[in-house]
Amino acid sequence: MSEAFREGVRDGIRDAMQCGARIAGVLAVAMGMAGAAHAANGDAAAQRLIEAKCGACHLDNGKLTRISEMRKSPEGWDMTVVRMGIWHKVELTPGERQTIVKYLADRQGLAPSESAPYRPLTERRPNMQDTAPDEEMAQMCGRCHSYGRVALQRRDEGEWRKLMHTHLGQFPSAEYSAMGRDRNWWEIARDQLPARLAALYPKDTPAWREWRSAKHRPATGSWVVAGERPGWGAYTGTMKARAAGPDRYEVSYELRFGPGNTVRGQGDAIVYTGYEWRGSAKLGNEDTRSIFALSPDGSRMSGRWFLKGADEIGARFEAVRADDAVKNELVAVTPRMLRNGATTDVTLAGVALDAKVDLGPGIEVVEWLGKSPGELKVRVRVAVDAPEGVRKVVVGGRESAQTVAVFRRFDTVRVEPAFAVARLGGGTVAPMSAQFDAIAFLNGADGKPGTDDDIRLGSVPATWSTEPFDDRARHDEDARYAGHMAPHGQFVPSFGGPNPLRRGGINNVGNLSVIATVADGDQTLNGKGQLMVVAQRWNPTPLR
């Protein structure tokens, strides 16, 4: 063990011990102040609460050190607050915790452009892989957690260096874990990374100064929404948000997945940093969470909602504000696949849609089926010789970003995601399932599958099955023990723990091929993906 490494550990531990000593000296006073602060409303109350709960370690000559020297996402601040409870026994009620996170995220958060590259991580999209600037950054920072956790915060060089010391003080084995011994880990972390991180993610940026000074539009009002839930299909509908306090809303939803399948729900939401929507709702009989981002001008919203306690199961979400000033704003077209020679009922969802609809050459509107707030329904006929491919939809003379695709027959079917991870459950740890979709494609102009000009048509119904991915999986009978596929493409894993029925009593892990079988007229197509069924995750975090 190098002397530099020992020094780093000592510095980290020393900081933690000094903080603990200061807590012991002021804890009684701090808790008394916090009770009064939480009863009040507004910024002054939040400031008093932070001084009371955090000042034991961070208040120095009237200034909160460390806390004021960084910016983070709402999840980043929440993880910090929780960590203070674990490391230093800071006690907070749920309301106090939310008050502190709200205050810090509003004043020391991230601008929309800063958080945008890592929205998939924030939205907890399953099987996402974040990208580091280079291999060294990925290995130094991404071996123990996602790289996005680093990129969703901002510090100057000194604060980044202190974070390195904190890592070593709290996790002295960091140099020896996750293949850290293939390099001089501590010397790189201490001497090289702080400057690099400060250049990549500085505390002070023009984007943040501009966003802090801007006036942000409340989310109140009616919204036309659309999206797609893997396994269920596309939906359109409405969302209404009513003010329930500063940046807080009561929300109602009506989501239409198809004829006879309308899901309604009620919930609430809070908006951090002027655009970061975090909500909870009961949709039908499911408890859900939502993570959306408002556009900088407040006219649109996008993100993802998912099941409480199973964030791998959810749906994409897009919304446009139903504003009197908005006209012919198209949000979605369903279905998006139109077959040559067929007549199809099409729903266009959007704001103030005009009756003049143009779906491109070879597609004729033959009947108007009705118009309601947020929707326009038409029956269209596609010519037998209509050119295959994707075309943009025009409503009221305005070209939209929404598209439809014309096809004669599917060329290929792929499984999405192509690679997925599911986790065993057991005891108090729920299993983590994996949701798959079958996606139809055209080969494109070159007539070859798997090339850059392939045309993605969209999700299609499929019959699902699994088989061993390789010889080892076949030998261990992974397909028998790891779990099973539900009819709608969801893989449900088995329970964890040694299984005496398996060879060697191994756990119910597995390496599987997931197969989608799709019938398309007189042809049957198969798509295949890979699924790793692995052990439980014992410490789930908002930012992994």
Side-chain angles (χ1 to χ4, degrees), residues 189-509:
R190 180 193 61 190
D191 300 333
Q192 299 177 26
L193 287 193
R196 290 200 62 196
L197 289 167
L200 287 168
Y201 313 114
K203 178 177 179 289
D204 185 35
T205 64
W208 176 244
R209 290 196 298 270
E210 181 179 349
W211 184 252
R212 272 294 308 272
S213 62
K215 185 176 181 180
H216 305 138
R217 188 177 181 185
T220 47
S222 298
W223 299 75
V224 176
V225 307
E228 186 168 359
R229 177 175 176 177
W232 283 44
Y235 67 87
T236 59
T238 58
M239 179 184 80
K240 295 182 179 179
R242 297 168 293 278
D247 293 331
R248 287 166 169 81
Y249 303 92
E250 295 176 349
V251 191
S252 60
Y253 297 89
E254 184 176 291
L255 309 180
R256 296 178 288 276
F257 284 86
N261 188 11
T262 297
V263 177
R264 296 178 176 84
Q266 305 283 334
D268 52 54
I270 181 170
V271 173
Y272 299 89
T273 330
Y275 71 101
E276 292 279 15
W277 170 292
R278 304 294 185 267
S280 302
K282 184 85 168 181
L283 296 181
N285 62 354
E286 295 180 321
D287 289 318
T288 67
R289 300 289 182 264
S290 56
I291 297 179
F292 307 148
L294 279 87
S295 61
D297 65 359
S299 65
R300 304 183 75 92
M301 198 183 305
S302 63
R304 185 172 177 268
W305 55 267
F306 47 84
L307 301 189
K308 176 185 177 182
D311 55 32
E312 72 274 14
I313 303 299
R316 295 188 295 276
F317 178 92
E318 300 285 339
V320 171
R321 192 187 294 268
D323 194 306
D324 292 339
V326 177
K327 186 171 177 61
N328 291 319
E329 186 69 43
L330 191 61
V331 184
V333 180
T334 53
R336 295 177 59 189
M337 295 181 290
L338 303 175
R339 191 185 295 269
N340 288 86
T343 298
T344 306
D345 293 348
V346 175
T347 298
L348 297 94
V351 179
L353 299 180
D354 195 274
K356 185 179 179 182
V357 176
D358 183 359
L359 299 177
I363 303 178
E364 177 188 5
V365 176
V366 296
E367 185 178 354
W368 298 103
L369 300 179
K371 183 176 182 180
S372 61
E375 282 191 350
L376 184 66
K377 295 185 178 182
V378 297
R379 181 164 292 153
V380 303
R381 180 184 298 123
V382 184
V384 174
D385 59 351
E388 285 189 305
V390 175
R391 67 276 306 279
K392 290 186 177 180
V393 178
V394 178
V395 180
R398 180 182 178 184
E399 185 179 89
S400 73
Q402 302 300 317
T403 61
V404 293
V406 173
F407 72 102
R408 292 181 178 84
R409 55 190 284 157
F410 305 150
D411 287 332
T412 60
V413 168
R414 302 179 194 172
V415 169
E416 291 186 357
F419 177 85
V421 174
R423 292 184 179 274
L424 303 171
T428 60
V429 180
M432 187 185 85
S433 61
Q435 178 68 56
F436 294 91
D437 247 355
I439 309 297
F441 280 82
L442 299 180
N443 286 340
D446 66 3
K448 299 177 181 179
T451 57
D452 290 342
D453 71 344
D454 288 2
I455 299 171
R456 188 182 192 276
L457 296 176
S459 60
V460 292
T463 301
W464 295 92
S465 60
T466 62
E467 65 181 24
F469 182 79
D470 55 20
D471 290 340
R472 176 60 185 269
R474 189 171 294 105
H475 174 270
D476 290 341
E477 299 183 279
D478 289 358
R480 178 180 178 185
Y481 292 108
H484 68 277
M485 292 293 299
H488 55 284
Q490 183 181 3
F491 180 85
V492 182
S494 297
F495 284 94
N499 186 345
L501 299 178
R502 300 196 71 176
R503 290 187 178 94
I506 61 175
N507 206 343
N508 286 322
V509 296

Side-chain angles (χ1 to χ4, degrees), residues 1-6 9 140 143-144 167-168 171-189:
M1 182 183 297
S2 67
E3 181 57 35
F5 179 78
R6 293 190 185 94
V9 173
M140 289 294 295
R143 283 173 165 174
C144 295
H167 272 63
L168 208 57
F171 312 108
S173 64
E175 187 177 31
Y176 301 105
S177 65
M179 299 181 289
R181 295 188 71 181
D182 63 354
R183 66 199 68 206
N184 294 323
W185 185 91
W186 173 239
E187 284 77 3
I188 296 171

